[in-house]
Amino acid sequence: MRYTLLLLSMLVLACGPDDFHPDFNQESTMGFRPIYADSSELNIGLESARNIVSAGKIYSYGNLLLVNEVGKGLHVYDNTDPRKPVNKFFVTIPGNHDMAMKDGVLYADNYDDLLALQVSSDTVIILKRLEDVIGFTAEFPSQNNVYFECVEEGKGIVVGWEQTMIEKPKCYKP
């Protein structure tokens, strides 16, 4: 009896719905639209201090407190008095999601590039940039079973995806 139930359960699970086939004839549907940037929007730069919106990793180095702003860059604080850190400036590093510190050098991603930075209380120096080593790709949305607007190379570099209604979808990611 136990084996009969097991066999019956396996048959039921094996008889799932047919594979989904996307319908490219629909007028509009929920999907993803690429977010484009040109190379000038990918530059590293110093800006005045700003509030943290989406904090990532945090490092304490000497009298500095370094806080990653996910996807945007790095907040630099003077942490001489840990009870009252002073927000000094922001380092724009587009596509920055991760960072690590070793021997006084901060390593940070900048989309596909890896940056080696020297950070002080008043500036940041790019020591080295290794291009195309991380394997960042945004050629498709990260989600599966979704419609999306096909990437148009002439519009710039795809740096992310936004969910929205799209008209007459032509691309689908299973």
Side-chain angles (χ1 to χ4, degrees), residues 21 45 54 129 172-173:
H21 297 287
S54 179
R129 174 188 291 272
Y172 180 81
K173 182 181 175 200

Side-chain angles (χ1 to χ4, degrees), residues 27-33 149 162-167:
E27 287 298 312
S28 66
T29 188
M30 188 58 76
F32 289 86
R33 173 180 297 137
E149 286 183 4
E162 65 181 340
Q163 189 171 22
T164 187
M165 289 299 289
I166 55 174
E167 303 299 316

Side-chain angles (χ1 to χ4, degrees), residues 8-18:
L8 185 59
S9 297
M10 289 172 52
L11 285 172
V12 168
L13 291 174
C15 298
D18 293 337

Side-chain angles (χ1 to χ4, degrees), residues 11-174:
L11 285 172
V12 168
L13 291 174
C15 298
D18 293 337
D19 289 338
F20 175 78
H21 297 287
D23 176 10
F24 293 110
N25 294 320
Q26 51 190 319
E27 287 298 312
S28 66
T29 188
M30 188 58 76
F32 289 86
R33 173 180 297 137
I35 301 169
Y36 295 98
D38 63 36
S39 58
S40 69
E41 296 173 284
L42 304 179
N43 293 331
I44 312 306
L46 289 180
E47 295 182 3
S48 57
R50 59 170 138 168
N51 292 328
I52 297 171
V53 176
S54 179
K57 288 188 174 180
I58 300 172
Y59 280 96
S60 176
Y61 176 68
N63 288 333
L64 296 178
L65 185 65
L66 310 172
V67 181
N68 168 247
E69 178 78 40
V70 178
K72 307 285 185 195
L74 176 70
H75 298 270
V76 178
Y77 289 81
D78 179 340
N79 201 34
T80 304
D81 181 356
R83 292 172 293 163
K84 295 180 185 175
V86 177
N87 195 346
K88 298 290 284 181
F89 57 92
F90 182 76
V91 184
T92 304
I93 308 173
N96 176 238
H97 293 276
D98 203 1
M99 63 180 192
M101 181 78 97
K102 182 170 177 164
D103 298 330
V105 177
L106 181 74
Y107 298 91
D109 61 330
N110 174 221
Y111 292 113
D112 318 12
D113 298 351
L114 178 63
L115 304 173
L117 307 168
Q118 183 177 38
V119 183
S120 69
S121 62
D122 58 354
T123 194
V124 171
I125 299 169
I126 299 174
L127 301 173
K128 189 163 189 167
R129 174 188 291 272
L130 299 175
E131 295 182 1
D132 300 322
V133 295
I134 294 183
F136 171 85
T137 181
E139 101 184 82
F140 303 108
S142 60
Q143 296 79 357
N144 292 325
N145 303 315
V146 294
Y147 291 97
F148 63 97
E149 286 183 4
C150 304
V151 174
E152 297 178 42
E153 289 186 29
K155 287 190 170 184
I157 301 162
V158 177
V159 295
W161 294 86
E162 65 181 340
Q163 189 171 22
T164 187
M165 289 299 289
I166 55 174
E167 303 299 316
K168 298 183 182 180
K170 300 214 179 335
C171 291
Y172 180 81
K173 182 181 175 200

